[in-house]
Amino acid sequence: MSKTVSDQLVSMLRDAGIKRIYGIVGDSLNPVTEALTRDGSIRWIHVRHEEAAAFAASAEAQITGEIAACCGSSGPGNMHLINGLYDAARSDAPVFAISSHIPLSQVGNDYFQETHPQEFYRECTAYCELVSEAEHAATITANAIRHAKDKPGVGMIVLPGDVASQKAEREGYAKAPLCVGRATVTPSPDDIQALADLINGSRRITFFCGYGCTGAQKEIVELAAKIKAPIAYTFRAKDIMEQDNPYAVGMTGLLGWGDATQAMNDCDLLVMWGTDFPYSAFLPHHVKVAQVDVNATHLGRRVPAFLGVQGETLATLRELAPLIKEKSDDEHLSQSLTRHAKEMKKLNAYIHHVDEDAPIRPEYITKIISDCASDSAIFTVDTGTPNIWSARYLHGGGTRRIIGSFKHGSMACALAMAMGAQAPDRERQVIALCGDGGLAMLPGDLLTLVQEGLPVKVLVYNNSALDFINLEMTAAGIRPVNTDLKNPSFAEVAQAMGVQAERLTKPGDAILAVKRWLACEGPALLDVVVDEHALAMPPEITMNQAFGFAKTIAKHVLHGELNTVKRILFGNRRLFF
């Protein structure tokens, strides 16, 4: 049998190291799925929604550092990929995507399921091109793979079903190298010296570290020890910078905690390492800033940079460290660590003081999970208040990883990402921390866990509300409306799908329930009914936020909701008093 374009595609993906493809089969994809069956080296992961396929591929790529793949059939099938592919693009995850397409002869004729993927995917892909004839299929596929790996980002081919069935041409292109090692970006000697002079000439220095510090944690901590600098970090860098780091002072931003915000505002020099932190309102605009980033377009775009240095964090540190003079004045570091310890005591109020007669606090259940989970666990986190509780109460030590839709901010990502995180290594512990709103969006992929035998552990923060939206409205002085959720027992839903599940309602049962849940051999779900009135306070409360909260409380009173006011104030009394 002669080799088809689909056979050629599969062999190229195999050579690029792709081991799995997440998707749903469909008529325009049939030639590809047939070729996968003939080849047998790439596993098909049959999801229940293409959005989950893209999220899963994004997570696999982030965990392994290698290209992962997903696909969708023509029209609605490939359009469902877009949310997860946006997340992959914004997370710099190397993902190869196949957007199968209507017959080429029907393009432009308002055919059934006709769309133009190469147009609407342009913004979230590093490369997206239509395969219009067999002769060019290998060239376009190779380009998509190279772009996915090199950026890294999303490389997509738009493949009509009739072209996918044609006889393959130009075999030589399929054999060309598809993936090569990335070059190290080292700053110029002049930039290194300028950064060294700036650090040596400053007294109170704070580090702010992002995901670009991957692989450089040891060097960051060693330099911080040398110059007595507290270390703040982003959520994406939490699992990097909390490992063996006595100078860690937490995070800034809406999810922030600890002394990070004050340490960044009280310094003479803020050094930003490998971060493009987007929330400029939480960055100090009154202190001198030096920024190091491999991407030059990031330098100075969030806050004015006194000095911008293009380079990878590790390469920069190796050249910089010998030029840095040790500092003896540790006042700034000592003050920051002292304040941080006090903040941590306040933050842990609902962990150290558990009211057995009150609803389960989300802080408490998250801390229990952190304490009971493996040192190598992978946590996937839904957008919303699960982000807040994870940022504050999961510990990033050992070889743990924490991933979520941190730059795209999508709901319903945790379960789907957990599938992609678990598929490469079924022995590693993977825990999905889901909001009830997020899980209700894509519950069907609980079936994927069962069908694929993925032993993911799913936790649901069940507070019957879109809780983060409640917090946003409250801070803005708006009485929360249209955020209530009429939830089922997620435990019963999961059990009906073949997932081991338990519903938890009492704080006193939490530790044993978490241990049972984590000990399950296959997929398991823990449906935790948490306090719907638990508040997550930002690291600094503005006058507008304080006024907004008071205004919202007044509105509750005016609407006769005194019981709601009592539950909010009494349930969160340890935060206020």
Side-chain angles (χ1 to χ4, degrees), residues 106-341:
Q106 296 294 336
V107 172
N109 199 33
D110 194 22
Y111 191 70
F112 175 66
Q113 293 189 330
E114 181 171 3
T115 58
H116 295 86
Q118 65 272 30
E119 295 180 14
F120 62 75
Y121 275 110
R122 190 73 65 192
E123 187 174 88
C124 68
T125 57
Y127 182 90
C128 180
E129 293 294 342
L130 172 69
V131 180
S132 58
E133 55 184 342
E135 185 179 6
H136 294 153
T139 306
I140 290 173
T141 300
N143 284 338
I145 293 172
R146 291 187 185 106
H147 277 77
K149 185 68 174 176
D150 180 66
K151 187 181 180 306
V154 178
M156 173 180 278
I157 64 168
V158 180
L159 182 61
D162 52 351
V163 176
S165 299
Q166 292 175 8
K167 182 178 179 297
E169 304 286 348
R170 305 186 74 174
E171 278 293 305
Y173 278 79
K175 298 298 182 182
L178 296 176
C179 300
V180 296
R182 293 174 63 88
T184 299
V185 180
T186 304
S188 69
D190 288 346
D191 282 348
I192 292 290
Q193 188 62 59
L195 182 57
D197 292 343
L198 193 56
I199 291 174
N200 288 332
S202 300
R203 177 170 167 261
R204 299 166 67 86
I205 302 168
T206 297
F207 286 173
F208 185 39
C209 299
Y211 190 68
C213 293
T214 301
Q217 189 267 1
K218 177 175 175 287
E219 288 76 7
I220 284 280
V221 172
E222 287 175 352
L223 185 59
K226 194 172 185 179
I227 64 173
K228 313 300 186 286
I231 301 174
Y233 42 86
T234 66
F235 200 170
R236 289 193 76 195
K238 178 180 172 71
D239 54 9
I240 303 166
M241 297 313 305
E242 284 187 355
Q243 300 176 38
D244 303 318
N245 184 358
Y247 313 111
V249 292
M251 295 166 46
T252 189
L254 285 172
L255 311 182
W257 54 278
D259 192 60
T261 299
Q262 191 162 346
M264 290 167 64
N265 278 284
D266 286 355
C267 63
D268 303 322
L269 174 66
L270 177 67
V271 185
M272 297 173 62
W273 296 97
T275 177
D276 186 36
F277 186 74
Y279 305 104
S280 58
F282 288 92
L283 295 173
H285 290 251
H286 61 281
V287 304
K288 195 174 288 186
V289 173
Q291 186 174 0
V292 179
D293 202 290
V294 70
N295 189 335
T297 66
H298 294 173
L299 301 176
R301 77 170 177 174
R302 308 300 185 185
V303 64
F306 180 82
L307 175 65
V309 176
Q310 183 182 13
E312 295 178 11
T313 300
L314 182 58
T316 302
L317 286 164
R318 285 174 173 167
E319 298 297 319
L320 178 70
L323 304 179
I324 298 300
K325 300 174 183 176
E326 186 162 3
K327 297 183 186 296
S328 58
D329 183 357
D330 68 349
E331 181 185 30
H332 176 53
L333 175 61
S334 179
Q335 289 175 342
S336 181
L337 292 176
T338 299
R339 291 191 304 262
H340 184 67

Side-chain angles (χ1 to χ4, degrees), residues 41 54 69 77 119 138 170 175 196-197 209 250 257 273 275 340 368 390 393 410 433 439 450 467 474 528 564-565 574:
S41 64
E119 295 180 14
R170 305 186 74 174
K175 298 298 182 182
D197 292 343
C209 299
W257 54 278
W273 296 97
T275 177
H340 184 67
I368 291 173
S390 301
Y393 299 100
S410 175
L433 300 178
L439 184 63
V450 177
D467 197 30
T474 300
V528 184
T564 297
V565 173
R574 299 188 191 279

Side-chain angles (χ1 to χ4, degrees), residues 512-555:
L512 289 178
V514 167
K515 289 181 177 180
R516 284 194 301 270
W517 168 62
L518 293 177
C520 291
E521 290 189 6
L525 181 143
L526 187 60
D527 180 6
V528 184
V529 181
V530 296
D531 188 348
E532 62 181 306
H533 297 299
L535 292 178
M537 307 301 285
E540 283 192 350
I541 301 174
T542 67
M543 288 299 296
N544 285 340
Q545 288 170 332
F547 176 73
F549 179 77
K551 187 176 176 182
T552 301
I553 292 295
K555 288 180 179 179

